[in-house]
């Protein structure tokens, strides 16, 4: 009952004008910053590790701003799940070569770091280009919420597939071999398996080698994609960058380190919108103490 009430509230929220919805989201973020103490501690610790030269006051202010973007991303998911296509096309501003996958003779990997507008980037690949696409998602333990998330992400996706992260990779590989573009999220800590400890803001971070290995094994073109939430009612910007020219190489560890450097550069442009509440440095090299 609680989940259905929450989903009903999300449906009602999508009817609000974006400036009002954005203001409510920022208010929710301020509330979360005050109440979600464990996540606030994670964000502040991440910022301490990544920005050691900043003062505590600077990091605190950035964390507080981050939570307001986080609150917006939660409430504005209602638009992505329920707003009509015409409205979304008005408020999602696409830059760069969004149609690369339609023309490429090789399958395309969209490399999409965890900024607050991540789900907007996913919708953009369904609204502004027609090539078949695939991705992975974190399956929810609540079946009602899981179904709502799948429907929300796939409602424009008659040419797309998503696979639970808990499944084996074979269905995903089959889809890519059929030519599907792959919407890949490369920057979360999934443990030491199939990962390397490469620098992220100078701190060793367990980072999956799969983007490099998969791109090389399947002959993929790797295109970076960055999603940005714009102030107030201005909507969103999704940038489809030029394909990487030196990724993948024959050295997946070097590729992974280069990928992290690219993500760092993008974070420095818009630090408040990166996902600081994730324990990016949770997995440590053998014998090293926890950073949290």
């Amino acid at each position: 009952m609680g989940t259905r009430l929450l989903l009903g509230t999300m449906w009602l929220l999508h009817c609000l004008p974006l400036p009002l919805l954005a203001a409510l989201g920022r208010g929710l973020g301020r509330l979360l910053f005050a109440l979600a103490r464990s996540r606030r501690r994670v964000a502040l610790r991440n910022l301490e590790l990544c920005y050691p030269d900043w003062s505590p006051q600077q990091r605190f202010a950035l964390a507080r701003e981050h939570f307001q973007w986080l609150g917006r991303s939660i409430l504005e998911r209602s638009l992505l799940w329920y707003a009509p296509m015409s409205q979304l096309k008005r408020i999602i501003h696409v830059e760069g070569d969004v149609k690369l996958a339609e023309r490429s003779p090789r399958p395309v990997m969209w490399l999409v770091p965890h900024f607050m507008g991540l789900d907007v980037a996913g919708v953009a690949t369904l609204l502004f280009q027609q090539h078949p696409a695939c991705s992975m998602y974190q399956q929810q333990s609540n079946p009602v919420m899981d179904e709502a998330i799948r429907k929300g992400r796939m409602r424009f996706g008659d040419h797309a597939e998503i696979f639970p992260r808990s499944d084996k990779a074979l269905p995903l590989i089959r889809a890519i071999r059929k030519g599907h573009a792959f919407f890949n999220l490369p920057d979360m800590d999934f443990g030491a398996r199939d990962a390397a400890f490469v620098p992220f803001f100078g701190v060793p971070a367990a980072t999956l080698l799969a983007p490099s290995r998969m791109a090389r094994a399947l002959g993929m073109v790797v295109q970076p994609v960055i999603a940005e939430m714009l102030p107030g009612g201005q909507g969103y910007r999704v940038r489809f960058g030029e394909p990487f020219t030196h990724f993948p190489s024959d050295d997946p560890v070097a590729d992974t380190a280069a990928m992290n450097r690219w993500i760092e550069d993008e974070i420095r442009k818009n630090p408040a919108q990166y996902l600081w509440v994730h324990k990016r440095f949770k997995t440590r090299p053998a014998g090293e103490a926890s950073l949290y």
Side-chain angles (χ1 to χ4, degrees):
M1 179 63 73
T3 302
R4 297 189 186 280
L5 179 61
L6 174 62
L7 293 173
T9 302
M10 291 288 282
W11 184 89
L12 290 172
L13 287 172
H14 98 273
C15 300
L16 298 177
L18 181 54
L20 177 55
L21 188 58
L24 290 174
R26 291 183 73 84
L28 173 63
R30 287 190 286 269
L31 183 63
L32 290 174
F33 187 72
L35 298 180
R37 296 180 181 180
S38 63
R39 286 296 152 187
R40 184 181 67 207
R41 285 194 295 269
V42 169
L44 288 169
R45 179 56 171 152
N46 282 334
L47 292 172
E48 180 183 19
L49 292 166
C50 295
Y51 291 94
D53 296 334
W54 286 21
S55 69
Q57 292 79 15
Q58 286 176 300
R59 295 193 293 263
F60 188 88
L62 181 58
R64 184 171 51 197
E65 177 69 12
H66 166 67
F67 268 79
Q68 293 178 49
W69 290 111
L70 177 63
R72 277 195 58 177
S73 74
I74 294 170
L75 295 193
E76 291 173 37
R77 205 159 293 169
S78 63
L79 293 175
L80 304 180
W81 290 1
Y82 302 115
M85 180 186 297
S86 58
Q87 180 183 356
L88 292 176
K89 284 190 170 182
R90 287 196 305 270
I91 61 177
I92 299 176
H93 311 289
V94 171
E95 297 179 357
D97 192 359
V98 65
K99 295 181 181 291
L100 173 66
E102 293 182 357
R103 304 188 316 273
S104 175
R106 296 156 55 196
V108 170
M109 177 188 292
W110 292 308
L111 209 59
V112 194
H114 278 80
F115 285 87
M116 292 295 98
L118 173 67
D119 284 342
V120 180
V123 171
T125 65
L126 301 179
L127 290 181
F128 295 98
Q129 68 92 46
Q130 296 301 313
H131 192 75
C134 59
S135 188
M136 303 186 77
Y137 82 106
Q138 186 64 47
Q139 194 167 19
Q140 304 296 302
S141 58
N142 184 316
V144 175
M145 181 59 73
D146 188 69
E147 180 66 15
I149 291 173
R150 285 183 59 88
K151 283 185 176 179
R153 290 181 175 175
M154 296 294 292
R155 66 192 184 108
F156 305 121
D158 55 351
H159 54 290
E161 297 179 84
I162 58 174
F163 304 100
R165 191 171 294 278
S166 57
D167 285 2
K168 294 182 179 179
L170 190 57
L172 175 69
I173 299 299
R174 286 199 195 104
I176 295 170
R177 283 181 171 157
K178 287 191 297 185
H180 285 40
F182 176 33
F183 191 89
N184 191 10
L185 318 178
D187 56 333
M188 296 193 82
D189 186 338
F190 289 110
R193 183 179 179 183
D194 299 323
F197 287 97
V198 295
F200 186 65
F201 285 92
V203 182
T207 309
L208 290 176
L209 298 167
S212 172
R213 288 174 171 170
M214 184 179 294
R216 184 171 175 80
L218 299 175
M220 304 185 77
V221 176
V222 178
Q223 183 180 32
V225 180
I226 297 292
E228 177 186 0
M229 303 181 73
L230 301 176
Q234 297 178 44
Y236 316 94
R237 180 184 296 117
V238 184
R239 293 185 281 117
F240 288 79
E242 290 297 318
F244 289 155
T245 56
H246 301 294
F247 185 111
S249 71
D250 58 359
D251 186 342
V253 176
D255 286 348
T256 304
M259 181 186 72
N260 275 3
R261 289 195 297 272
W262 164 68
I263 296 172
E264 289 174 24
D265 290 342
E266 293 297 335
I267 292 171
R268 291 187 180 99
K269 298 174 187 175
N270 191 9
Q273 290 194 32
Y274 190 64
L275 186 65
W276 295 113
V277 294
H278 169 62
K279 290 185 177 181
R280 185 63 186 87
F281 307 105
K282 179 180 179 180
T283 304
R284 306 313 309 145
E288 186 175 311
S290 172
L291 293 177
Y292 299 97

